[in-house]
Amino acid sequence: TQLLEQSPQFLSIQEGENLTVYCNSSSVFSSLQWYRQEPGEGPVLLVTVVTGGEVKKLKRLTFQFGDARKDSSLHITAAQPGDTGLYLCAGVGSGTYKYIFGTGTRLKVLA
Amino acid sequence: SAVISQKPSRDICQRGTSLTIQCQVDSQVTMMFWYRQQPGQSLTLIATANQGSEATYESGFVIDKFPISRPNLTFSTLTVSNMSPEDSSIYLCSPFRGFCEQYFGPGTRLTVT
């Protein structure tokens, strides 16, 4: 069974601080996605990474896919209250169409 | 992105009753995923629905409890049958549009009393 463990599980920081969220597995994924979910809404896709070692930037968010395609990280620079939400990683295993979701990281950015 | 709507957006139901959740997509898709998100948790895949065939259920989920219909390529329903408080969750549909594009409906928040 493929599992995606995220850390930390909870994170509460002050506005302006930097943070990194990790998504780890013992399995290889053909692609990995990051989502943010706000209360009362479905998850919103932030980025998809497909190549080992790939780095993608989305404004203050930097996403990295591990060289072995087993892990990923999300780094937020100068966090803002609008970044508050549940961050989820999701991976697609080789030879399957199903997405496996990570355990989630709940981020709260205080003004 | 995709335009995905779900009905109802939320409901409070009594134990033992059933609720059917509708998912409408703005374009045709081959597969539709149904997920459950229990309070404070991540997403768990319930089943994959294809048009014209029976849905494929994940371990721990059965058709008698979560019957799914897929009458055409833009619509699907998930029924939560004989509900118990443990079924209180957010239920989400997601059309499959390729491995780099997965979008979700707004979800149906179900509370079972």
Side-chain angles (χ1 to χ4, degrees):
Chain A
T1 304
Q2 294 176 310
L3 295 173
L4 278 168
E5 296 283 342
Q6 286 184 237
S7 61
Q9 188 178 0
F10 299 98
L11 190 56
S12 180
I13 61 171
Q14 292 293 131
E15 181 176 6
E17 292 184 6
N18 301 332
L19 67 116
T20 302
V21 177
Y22 299 93
C23 174
N24 294 303
S25 176
S26 58
S27 302
V28 175
F29 292 93
S30 57
S31 67
L32 197 138
Q33 301 182 330
W34 284 93
Y35 297 82
R36 179 172 63 222
Q37 184 179 22
E38 298 185 29
E41 299 180 7
V44 174
L45 179 64
L46 297 174
V47 78
T48 300
V49 286
V50 296
T51 304
E54 182 177 5
V55 177
K56 282 192 175 179
K57 292 192 175 184
L58 184 65
K59 296 183 180 178
R60 294 176 294 100
L61 278 60
T62 302
F63 305 86
Q64 183 162 8
F65 201 11
D67 291 341
R69 291 186 287 135
K70 293 182 179 181
D71 54 83
S72 181
S73 64
L74 157 61
H75 182 79
I76 301 179
T77 303
Q80 298 177 0
D83 295 327
T84 294
L86 176 67
Y87 287 82
L88 296 162
C89 63
V92 179
S94 300
T96 179
Y97 56 82
K98 300 178 187 178
Y99 293 83
I100 306 297
F101 277 81
T103 48
T105 296
R106 196 167 296 277
L107 171 65
K108 187 169 185 178
V109 182
L110 305 170
Chain B
S1 63
V3 177
I4 307 163
S5 61
Q6 284 187 233
K7 291 182 181 178
S9 59
R10 58 176 63 227
D11 208 341
I12 301 173
C13 302
Q14 290 195 337
R15 180 195 299 262
T17 62
S18 298
L19 175 72
T20 296
I21 301 167
Q22 300 178 6
C23 177
Q24 180 74 52
V25 187
D26 65 339
S27 59
Q28 296 182 343
V29 292
T30 53
M31 288 189 289
M32 190 85 80
F33 299 114
W34 283 98
Y35 289 88
R36 181 176 72 182
Q37 187 175 28
Q38 294 176 301
Q41 303 296 313
S42 184
L43 277 67
T44 301
L45 181 63
I46 297 171
T48 304
N50 293 301
Q51 195 253 344
S53 63
E54 271 198 6
T56 302
Y57 289 82
E58 297 301 304
S59 177
F61 298 96
V62 295
I63 187 171
D64 289 345
K65 175 68 175 176
F66 297 100
I68 288 173
S69 76
R70 188 81 203 280
N72 58 57
L73 293 175
T74 63
F75 186 79
S76 180
T77 67
L78 169 75
T79 299
V80 186
S81 303
N82 189 24
M83 287 183 284
S84 67
E86 292 71 35
D87 295 320
S88 297
S89 296
I90 299 172
Y91 292 86
L92 298 140
C93 64
S94 176
F96 179 74
R97 290 174 177 265
F99 295 113
C100 294
E101 296 185 58
Q102 186 178 21
Y103 301 97
F104 288 87
T108 296
R109 184 179 294 271
L110 170 62
T111 302
V112 183
T113 60

